Amino acid sequence: MIIEHHNSIAIITQEKTSLKEFSTKFSVLYERFKEDDIVLNLKDISVGSLDLLVSISKQHRLLNHSFVVVTTQLNQDDFEDDFIIVPTLQEAKDFIEMDLLSRDLGI
């Protein structure tokens, strides 16, 4: 797991772990990122479930912060609108920027 901070954005990248291992580690470390907008950069989702990440995402969005998953292995259409999936890190950053603007405007 690689962790980077850019302003108020935490980018957490899956390395050589399964999705299940990554999700478990992330849930343990989540308190450290609670006040940040979060980008999860997933490299391999072949083994495991996204259920834990979906649950954390919902909780995080209730705290009025962004939670974005970056992967080319999933399609946004297969998930609810509040679980955001994009194919690139740049799109994740763009989404967070738009989300911040929406929050600032009270939308």
Side-chain angles (χ1 to χ4, degrees):
M1 181 180 287
I2 299 171
I3 300 168
E4 302 172 62
H5 270 93
H6 301 278
N7 299 322
S8 67
I9 301 173
I11 301 174
I12 300 111
T13 302
Q14 176 190 22
E15 276 194 305
K16 299 174 184 175
T17 59
S18 69
L19 179 60
K20 183 177 180 177
E21 266 183 88
F22 176 82
S23 297
T24 302
K25 280 184 184 179
F26 176 71
S27 69
V28 169
L29 297 174
Y30 172 70
E31 287 297 317
R32 289 176 47 187
F33 311 110
K34 204 172 177 177
E35 299 300 318
D36 297 322
D37 294 306
I38 296 174
V39 175
L40 297 183
N41 190 8
L42 302 181
K43 304 293 185 182
D44 180 14
I45 60 163
S46 60
V47 179
S49 167
L50 289 170
D51 292 343
L52 182 57
L53 297 180
V54 169
S55 174
I56 294 171
S57 170
K58 287 180 181 180
Q59 174 186 344
H60 198 66
R61 295 198 47 86
L62 287 174
L63 296 173
N64 215 22
H65 294 289
S66 300
F67 190 99
V68 183
V69 173
V70 176
T71 183
T72 57
Q73 300 173 18
L74 296 171
N75 188 331
Q76 177 67 56
D77 295 336
D78 297 332
F79 295 89
E80 296 178 24
D81 289 341
D82 60 352
F83 188 68
I84 306 302
I85 299 170
V86 296
T88 67
L89 279 173
Q90 185 58 52
E91 287 180 76
K93 291 174 185 176
D94 292 346
F95 177 86
I96 289 172
E97 190 175 313
M98 295 299 292
D99 201 28
L100 284 170
L101 286 172
S102 295
R103 283 185 256 155
D104 287 347
L105 295 173
I107 299 174

